[in-house]
Amino acid sequence: MLLSRYLPHLICLPLALLSFWGSTEAQNCDGSTGPVIFAEDFGSGAGPGEPLAPGTTTYTYGSVGGGNYSVTNTTGINRDRWHDAPDHTEGDVNGYALVFDASDDPGIFYRATFDSLCENTDYTFSCYVANVVRPFACEGNSIEPNLKFSLFDPATGNSLGSVITGSIPTTDTLTWNQFSISFRTRPGQRDVDIEITNNAIGGCGNDLAIDDFRFSRCNPVREQRFDLCQLPEQMVVVGADTLRTPGVYESFIDLPNTCNDSTIITTLYGEASSNTVEVIASCIGDVVTVDGVDYTSDTVFIDTIAHAGGCVSTVTYNLTFSETVTTELQATICQGDSLLFAGSWIKEEGVYRDTLTSVNGCDSSVVYTVRAVDFSVDIVGLPTMPVEVGDTLALGVITSSTGTVAYTWTPPQVFDCPTCQEVLLSILRTTTIGLSAIDEVSGCVDSVFFTLETEPCGGSYFPNAFSPNGDGANDIYHPFLSDCTTEVVAFEIFDRWGAKVHSQSGVTADQVVWDGQWNRHAAPIGVYSYFVSYVLSNGGTRLDKGHVTLLR
């Protein structure tokens, strides 16, 4: 099959050029064009596209010149003589189209075979064609493209139809025209040959572009109308569709021995008979009128309705009359809270009423009794100045509640009893403490938060050099650790090759020293690394590291 690079199954190029213009032996689709089976837009790219498959065209792949063609993303490849416009495909950036510069002699310039068709099936081929020559080119006398398209049964050579487009005129801007042709395959036929003939002579003009090939089936259409009242079951089944209400419907039915679908347009009109039940809920004292008759008590009756066409429908009425309902509700709001009732926010204590329509249609009343609770707590015993790390504070709570209150202190690990009213607080560091309290009767909640500031401990200082030469000055290396240091976990010295030359552990801050000795010998001059890990009074662990220079 030809043009395999562009169409993996069927090639639509010649059929896209078929037109309703000029003389024709072919039939156009007298029915419903089905979904597109094959589509080809020739791809896209920043530069020219690849040539067509060998044997598809008698033209030479190239740019401008009689008998040449191009796969290009713009028609403006012949200076200002041709329109400079993109391809036809909507939304296709840098999309390709085929552009033909006609040869000097008329004749067949394109042949292709379509395969994998269905026998006994109606098809439609279509595409878009444009005259690329501008009106002023050739001194306004350009030759207009004139093409003939022919379809053949390759097995017998019999003609399936042909179309002559007639002259395609120039336009002020590039104008794409859609052309199409329809035909029916014969029993056993699965292939179709196509030929495109150039009827116009070469010379100045006769240049065209082709894009967007489409191939679809042409499905027959049948219309039918029904009066619902005349249908035995007030419905009609069309294919897989069951139609019951007035309207216009489109259904599809598979046809035997063909790939075509039959399109059935069904119009339903009139009224079908029905049997419905209508429930009307009212209140005692109301009057309900149905068909001119007044009702004031529970009643069930049937109303008969005659339709045009002889159909009869029935409506069963079920009338009920109910009493009004009063609902009493109670709620509690806490200090600063509000309650939404009847579209308004309640913030104060009181009795509120609303009237509404209940499910039975009667007016009902709602009485809302709202109680306001002013619940609050506060912490007593809080210091006014920073405290020392390690101190213990006794704290208590005052509350406006006269009932049972549940307390929660945070963080719990610093309190001796995190759920008590009176607690002891252990101070390890600057800490934000919190108290949340719930009044168990009203459910109201209040919270208090306070930040306890502790006295600063001071930082650590590490000298960067010492000289253990026995002169009494800087003979030992002694880091000055934070005043809050409670224990030195480890103090280690390493030379520049990673060998450990000194180590201490489990000592106090004033015991951290190095005398410059390594294995009871004087360590050589150089730069050493130190690592010290120590525990602070607030429970935290700190690690410091750096370098110290040993001098002699």
Side-chain angles (χ1 to χ4, degrees), residues 70-87:
S70 298
V71 181
T72 175
N73 52 28
T74 176
T75 60
I77 58 176
N78 191 5
R79 302 188 301 279
D80 62 347
R81 293 180 56 189
W82 290 0
H83 290 292
D84 187 6
D87 73 333

Side-chain angles (χ1 to χ4, degrees), residues 327-345:
T327 303
E328 294 187 0
L329 303 174
Q330 293 183 348
T332 299
I333 58 174
C334 303
Q335 182 180 13
D337 291 344
S338 58
L339 178 67
L340 182 63
F341 176 68
S344 301
W345 290 98

Side-chain angles (χ1 to χ4, degrees), residues 23 115 119 145 222 350 414 439 446 539:
S23 63
D115 57 16
E119 58 181 326
R222 181 168 63 88
V414 301
D439 182 13
D446 191 27

Side-chain angles (χ1 to χ4, degrees), residues 297-526:
S297 61
D298 293 355
T299 305
V300 177
F301 65 93
I302 299 175
D303 189 17
T304 301
I305 304 172
H307 302 303
C311 294
V312 176
S313 296
T314 63
V315 180
T316 300
Y317 288 92
N318 188 348
L319 279 60
T320 60
F321 294 82
S322 304
E323 297 181 353
T324 59
V325 177
T326 299
T327 303
E328 294 187 0
L329 303 174
Q330 293 183 348
T332 299
I333 58 174
C334 303
Q335 182 180 13
D337 291 344
S338 58
L339 178 67
L340 182 63
F341 176 68
S344 301
W345 290 98
I346 299 174
K347 298 183 179 180
E348 298 179 354
E349 187 172 277
V351 178
Y352 302 86
R353 290 179 172 83
D354 186 28
T355 300
L356 49 82
T357 300
S358 62
V359 292
N360 60 11
C362 303
D363 289 340
S364 300
S365 60
V366 177
V367 179
Y368 220 149
T369 302
V370 179
R371 183 173 68 93
V373 176
D374 184 7
F375 174 70
S376 63
V377 294
D378 202 3
I379 302 174
V380 295
L382 293 172
T384 58
M385 299 178 63
V387 296
E388 294 288 341
V389 174
D391 287 353
T392 300
L393 290 179
L395 303 180
V397 182
I398 57 175
T399 175
S400 61
S401 175
T402 58
T404 304
V405 178
Y407 302 99
T408 302
W409 295 86
T410 56
Q413 63 270 20
V414 301
F415 295 95
D416 65 330
C417 181
T419 59
C420 296
Q421 185 173 4
E422 296 181 351
V423 297
L424 293 178
L425 167 63
S426 299
I427 303 171
L428 301 178
R429 63 181 70 83
T430 295
T431 305
T432 297
I433 64 171
L435 169 66
S436 295
I438 301 177
D439 182 13
E440 295 188 351
V441 175
S442 65
C444 294
V445 179
D446 191 27
S447 300
V448 182
F449 296 92
F450 183 79
T451 299
L452 289 173
E453 299 286 346
T454 58
E455 294 286 352
C457 294
S460 300
Y461 171 70
F462 299 88
N464 58 13
F466 75 111
S467 56
N469 54 12
D471 62 357
N474 295 322
D475 285 335
I476 62 173
Y477 180 66
H478 177 52
F480 299 90
L481 302 183
S482 170
D483 297 338
C484 294
T485 302
T486 60
E487 179 187 2
V488 178
V489 178
F491 174 59
E492 298 175 325
I493 303 293
F494 298 87
D495 66 9
R496 62 177 180 173
W497 293 280
K500 186 185 295 186
V501 301
H502 178 75
S503 177
Q504 290 179 275
S505 62
V507 298
T508 60
D510 58 354
Q511 294 175 326
V512 177
V513 296
W514 180 37
D515 58 3
Q517 297 290 311
W518 183 11
N519 292 333
R520 300 182 181 180
H521 296 283
I525 295 173

Side-chain angles (χ1 to χ4, degrees), residues 15-363:
L15 298 178
L17 296 174
L18 299 183
S19 166
F20 298 112
W21 302 348
S23 63
T24 176
E25 302 171 9
Q27 297 292 325
N28 288 291
C29 181
D30 183 15
S32 172
T33 302
V36 175
I37 301 173
F38 301 102
E40 175 56 51
D41 61 8
F42 296 101
S44 60
E50 297 180 5
L52 301 176
T56 303
T57 178
T58 59
Y59 278 43
T60 302
Y61 183 76
S63 57
V64 179
N68 284 1
Y69 79 98
S70 298
V71 181
T72 175
N73 52 28
T74 176
T75 60
I77 58 176
N78 191 5
R79 302 188 301 279
D80 62 347
R81 293 180 56 189
W82 290 0
H83 290 292
D84 187 6
D87 73 333
H88 171 267
T89 309
E90 183 177 356
D92 190 7
V93 178
N94 286 331
Y96 290 139
L98 298 181
V99 177
F100 291 88
D101 190 338
S103 62
D104 292 337
D105 300 321
I108 298 173
F109 70 94
Y110 179 90
R111 292 186 179 90
T113 298
F114 301 147
D115 57 16
S116 302
L117 302 181
C118 296
E119 58 181 326
N120 303 314
T121 301
D122 293 312
Y123 287 98
T124 295
F125 294 88
S126 67
C127 77
Y128 287 83
V129 181
N131 185 338
V132 300
V133 179
R134 290 185 169 182
F136 60 79
C138 305
E139 298 181 354
N141 296 311
S142 64
I143 300 172
E144 297 176 343
N146 187 338
L147 304 176
K148 179 181 179 181
F149 301 89
S150 303
L151 298 175
F152 299 95
D153 181 349
T156 64
N158 294 331
S159 173
L160 300 177
S162 64
V163 168
I164 297 176
T165 66
S167 297
I168 302 176
T170 60
T171 52
D172 292 335
T173 59
L174 187 72
T175 301
W176 290 97
N177 302 281
Q178 187 179 27
F179 303 109
S180 63
I181 189 172
S182 298
F183 73 99
R184 181 175 181 82
T185 56
R186 298 171 181 175
Q189 180 186 355
R190 296 184 178 275
D191 301 334
V192 173
D193 284 347
I194 189 108
E195 291 183 352
I196 305 178
T197 303
N198 178 14
N199 289 331
I201 62 173
C204 191
N206 193 14
D207 305 317
L208 59 115
I210 303 174
D211 198 10
D212 285 335
F213 302 159
R214 299 290 185 264
F215 177 43
S216 58
R217 288 191 290 267
C218 178
N219 299 323
V221 176
R222 181 168 63 88
E223 297 187 16
Q224 56 185 4
R225 292 171 55 86
F226 298 100
D227 184 343
L228 280 169
C229 184
Q230 303 301 320
L231 294 174
E233 298 182 10
Q234 283 78 57
M235 70 173 186
V236 62
V237 177
V238 184
D241 301 326
T242 300
L243 311 178
R244 301 177 182 274
T245 58
V248 179
Y249 304 90
E250 185 177 60
S251 305
F252 301 95
I253 301 176
D254 292 336
L255 297 178
N257 303 317
T258 180
C259 291
N260 290 124
D261 297 327
S262 177
T263 302
I264 310 296
I265 307 297
T266 303
T267 301
L268 293 184
Y269 62 94
E271 296 180 84
S273 60
S274 63
N275 299 291
T276 59
V277 176
E278 184 171 348
V279 178
I280 301 177
S282 298
C283 306
I284 294 177
D286 292 344
V287 177
V288 177
T289 302
V290 180
D291 291 340
V293 180
D294 295 336
Y295 299 89
T296 59
S297 61
D298 293 355
T299 305
V300 177
F301 65 93
I302 299 175
D303 189 17
T304 301
I305 304 172
H307 302 303
C311 294
V312 176
S313 296
T314 63
V315 180
T316 300
Y317 288 92
N318 188 348
L319 279 60
T320 60
F321 294 82
S322 304
E323 297 181 353
T324 59
V325 177
T326 299
T327 303
E328 294 187 0
L329 303 174
Q330 293 183 348
T332 299
I333 58 174
C334 303
Q335 182 180 13
D337 291 344
S338 58
L339 178 67
L340 182 63
F341 176 68
S344 301
W345 290 98
I346 299 174
K347 298 183 179 180
E348 298 179 354
E349 187 172 277
V351 178
Y352 302 86
R353 290 179 172 83
D354 186 28
T355 300
L356 49 82
T357 300
S358 62
V359 292
N360 60 11
C362 303
D363 289 340

